[in-house]
């Protein structure tokens, strides 16, 4: 694999050198020198300049160009050297065996920005510490998605993943700059295998755009290689299926797709050649939905779910606490009586409380103050306008005469 990658590198540029090949393939300088020496011995590249021991410049030969073109016909991937599927599986098992489970205080700290019941915090912590799935349901706007996002912070430590995985001649790209956050690891002695990258525990979120095809290996015709699906990129972290039941496929189809990974912590994929492969999966699956569990799934699947949490409307005291917490974040005072005035307005309009609304109303108050060119302030006049802008106004009532005429 390394000689093939190095030859494809030589095919893409006019000249290569040992240091550049080591940097591109994420391998050590001695190994890069050995790989290039081997290619030179086979007549696929030729040395053009020697700058020192283990440091030389090369160009591809006509025979090497023909060989590289054949290799490109099979797989056009050029980049960090992949690790084998077996090596990836072994490293995954080792990391989980040597990583302590999440502790109650870590879970409490991760969810400290949410106002949740002690029971909800404990259930979320059990899901994270055990690695089991979590089904969060309830009316919209009460923190289901926020819980799924913030529970990632309870996972201890960082995590090693390879840039890509090799299965025979096929390459699967796993590391994604858009999905993964690198963690710098000093390596003055040069002992770290640079085919691996240390990342923060990932949080991968999918929503209504999710299809069954996106949960399979994504073949890239231009590169003749594969992109890992989102739940594979989530390994080691949290995979959040948000707004479940609103996808373009039926909930039953989606849940059936998750059954094997949930129960056995592996998934099965099929390459374009027809070869089937088994890949380990270790993430916390969080499913968040506004719909009742009975609507989106059946009892057989619910039995397979690790833990379930219902997040309902906040109580008036919880609403007040959420309001104060968000105001504190923005360092703005809440006048006495203001929240009770708001709660009375909810009661007058028979409007159900939602946990997201204190934040949303304060943000609209922020918009109003910014528009007026003044510092953020919370008072009845500003919040009255914020309320109208957020909830809208009731349509004007018809005059009594107009009602009578229409009735006649």
């Amino acid at each position: 694999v390394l000689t093939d990658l190095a030859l494809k590198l030589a095919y893409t540029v006019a000249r290569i050198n040992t240091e550049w090949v080591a940097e591109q393939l994420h391998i050590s300088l001695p190994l890069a020198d050995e790989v290039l020496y081997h290619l030179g011995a086979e007549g696929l590249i030729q040395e053009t300049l020697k700058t020192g021991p283990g440091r030389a410049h090369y160009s591809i030969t006509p025979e090497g160009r023909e060989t590289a073109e054949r290799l490109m016909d099979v797989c056009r991937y050029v980049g960090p050297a992949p690790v084998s599927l077996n090596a990836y599986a072994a490293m995954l098992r080792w990391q989980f065996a040597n990583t302590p489970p999440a502790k109650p205080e870590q879970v409490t700290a991760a969810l400290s920005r949410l106002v949740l019941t002690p029971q909800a915090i404990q259930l979320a912590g059990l899901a994270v510490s055990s690695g089991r799935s979590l089904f969060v349901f309830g009316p919209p706007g009460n923190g289901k998605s926020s819980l799924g996002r913030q529970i990632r912070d309870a996972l201890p430590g960082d995590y090693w993943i390879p840039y890509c995985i090799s299965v025979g001649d096929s390459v699967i790209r796993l590391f994604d700059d858009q999905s993964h956050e690198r963690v710098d690891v000093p390596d003055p002695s040069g002992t770290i295998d640079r085919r691996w990258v240390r990342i923060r525990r990932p949080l991968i979120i999918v929503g209504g755009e999710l299809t069954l095809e996106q949960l399979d290996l994504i073949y890239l015709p231009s590169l003749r290689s594969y992109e890992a699906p989102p739940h594979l990129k989530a390994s080691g972290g949290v995979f959040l299926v948000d707004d479940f039941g609103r996808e373009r496929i039926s909930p039953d189809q989606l849940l059936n797709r998750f059954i094997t990974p949930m129960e056995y912590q592996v998934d099965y994929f099929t390459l374009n050649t027809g070869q089937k492969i088994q890949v380990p999966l270790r993430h916390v699956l969080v499913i968040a939905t506004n719909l009742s569990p009975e609507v989106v799934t059946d009892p057989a699947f619910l039995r397979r779910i690790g833990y379930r949490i219902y997040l309902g409307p906040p109580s008036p005291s919880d609403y007040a606490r959420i309001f104060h917490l968000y105001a504190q974040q923005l360092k703005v005072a809440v006048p006495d009586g203001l929240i009770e005035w708001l709660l009375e307005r909810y009661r007058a309009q028979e409007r159900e409380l939602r946990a997201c609304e204190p934040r949303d109303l304060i943000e609209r108050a922020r918009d109003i103050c910014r528009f007026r060119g003044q510092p953020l302030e919370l008072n009845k006049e500003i919040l009255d306008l914020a309320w109208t802008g957020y909830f809208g106004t009731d349509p004007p009532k018809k005059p009594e005469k107009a009602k009578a005429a229409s009735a006649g």
Side-chain angles (χ1 to χ4, degrees):
V1 174
L2 288 178
T3 54
D4 290 351
L5 277 174
L7 186 60
K8 287 190 284 186
L9 269 179
Y11 178 77
T12 60
V13 293
R15 291 182 181 82
I16 59 173
N17 62 64
T18 315
E19 290 179 339
W20 186 74
V21 169
E23 181 183 341
Q24 295 299 309
L25 300 188
H26 288 226
I27 59 177
S28 66
L29 202 60
L31 182 55
D33 186 51
E34 183 181 336
V35 168
L36 294 176
Y37 175 82
H38 180 74
L39 288 174
E42 292 189 348
L44 302 176
I45 61 173
Q46 59 187 1
E47 187 176 302
T48 59
L49 179 65
K50 190 82 170 180
T51 57
R55 286 174 169 81
H57 293 247
Y58 300 87
S59 62
I60 195 167
T61 65
E63 183 182 349
R65 188 170 295 279
E66 290 179 10
T67 304
E69 287 172 352
R70 289 197 297 270
L71 292 172
M72 288 290 197
D73 286 339
V74 176
C75 176
R76 292 183 178 273
Y77 172 81
V78 178
V83 305
S84 69
L85 180 55
N86 287 338
Y88 171 66
M91 183 62 164
L92 194 66
R93 288 192 298 268
W94 183 88
Q95 288 187 95
F96 272 88
N98 290 275
T99 301
K103 297 179 180 177
E105 56 270 23
Q106 292 171 320
V107 175
T108 301
L111 301 178
S112 60
R113 291 167 57 191
L114 301 176
V115 175
L116 300 170
T117 65
Q119 185 184 61
I121 294 173
Q122 190 169 9
L123 290 171
L126 286 168
V128 170
S129 63
S130 67
R132 299 182 188 274
S133 53
L134 180 63
F135 192 92
V136 192
F137 64 101
N142 288 309
K144 298 180 298 298
S145 301
S146 297
L147 187 151
R149 291 169 186 269
Q150 294 184 27
I151 199 65
R152 183 265 298 265
D153 293 336
L155 294 170
D158 301 318
Y159 193 69
W160 289 98
I161 63 169
Y163 283 93
C164 51
I165 302 167
S166 65
V167 183
D169 292 329
S170 299
V171 174
I172 303 166
R173 189 171 76 98
L174 183 60
F175 176 76
D176 180 359
D177 273 316
Q178 302 300 314
S179 304
H180 298 126
E181 183 181 340
R182 295 173 189 260
V183 176
D184 290 331
V185 181
D187 184 30
S189 60
T191 56
I192 292 177
D193 185 343
R194 294 190 296 120
R195 296 175 302 165
W196 298 79
V197 56
R198 193 159 181 82
I199 61 169
R200 185 184 177 198
R201 298 284 198 127
L203 168 64
I204 307 297
I205 304 170
V206 295
E209 77 286 354
L210 186 64
T211 64
L212 283 179
E213 291 75 20
Q214 291 172 329
L215 294 174
D216 208 341
L217 293 176
I218 302 162
Y219 184 67
L220 306 172
S222 61
L223 297 176
R224 295 180 184 172
S225 60
Y226 299 87
E227 181 83 12
H231 61 305
L232 188 52
K233 291 181 181 180
S235 210
V238 172
F239 182 48
L240 171 60
V241 182
D242 203 7
D243 208 14
F244 178 70
R246 307 291 187 187
E247 291 82 9
R248 288 180 284 175
I249 55 176
S250 73
D252 286 342
Q253 286 179 298
L254 196 53
L255 293 175
N256 287 334
R257 180 64 181 80
F258 287 139
I259 284 175
T260 296
M262 275 175 37
E263 289 194 335
Y264 302 105
Q265 296 182 332
V266 298
D267 205 354
Y268 297 91
F269 301 103
T270 304
L271 303 177
N272 277 10
T273 59
Q275 180 184 357
K276 294 186 181 297
I277 60 172
Q278 176 183 299
V279 182
L281 278 181
R282 294 296 296 269
H283 60 237
V284 178
L285 171 64
V286 180
I287 298 175
T289 181
N290 299 333
L291 306 175
S292 166
E294 293 75 20
V295 172
V296 294
T297 186
D298 56 56
F301 183 81
L302 287 175
R303 286 197 300 271
R304 293 181 168 98
I305 289 286
Y307 293 93
R308 281 178 266 176
I309 298 177
Y310 173 75
L311 293 184
S315 65
S317 60
D318 283 342
Y319 182 99
R321 186 180 165 204
I322 296 167
F323 197 100
H324 278 291
L325 283 173
Y326 198 73
Q328 286 172 10
Q329 273 185 253
L330 300 182
K331 299 179 180 178
V332 59
V334 180
D336 292 341
L338 183 65
I339 296 177
E340 183 52 44
W341 172 78
L342 269 178
L343 291 172
E344 182 56 41
R345 196 158 185 173
Y346 275 95
R347 287 190 285 267
Q349 295 188 8
E350 298 181 351
R351 190 179 294 279
E352 187 176 71
L353 299 176
R354 290 184 179 176
C356 66
E357 289 171 355
R359 176 203 64 203
D360 293 345
L361 287 172
I362 292 174
E363 281 299 322
R364 276 149 186 80
R366 201 179 190 182
D367 293 342
I368 293 165
C369 292
R370 188 183 297 117
F371 180 69
R372 293 175 175 178
Q374 68 180 71
L376 175 58
E377 180 184 1
L378 298 177
N379 58 43
K380 291 181 181 179
E381 184 270 329
I382 289 173
L383 279 177
D384 178 69
L385 182 57
W387 178 286
T388 302
Y390 185 65
F391 291 113
T393 55
D394 294 329
K397 296 181 180 180
K398 290 184 179 181
E400 293 297 325
K401 290 183 179 179
K403 285 185 180 178
S406 61

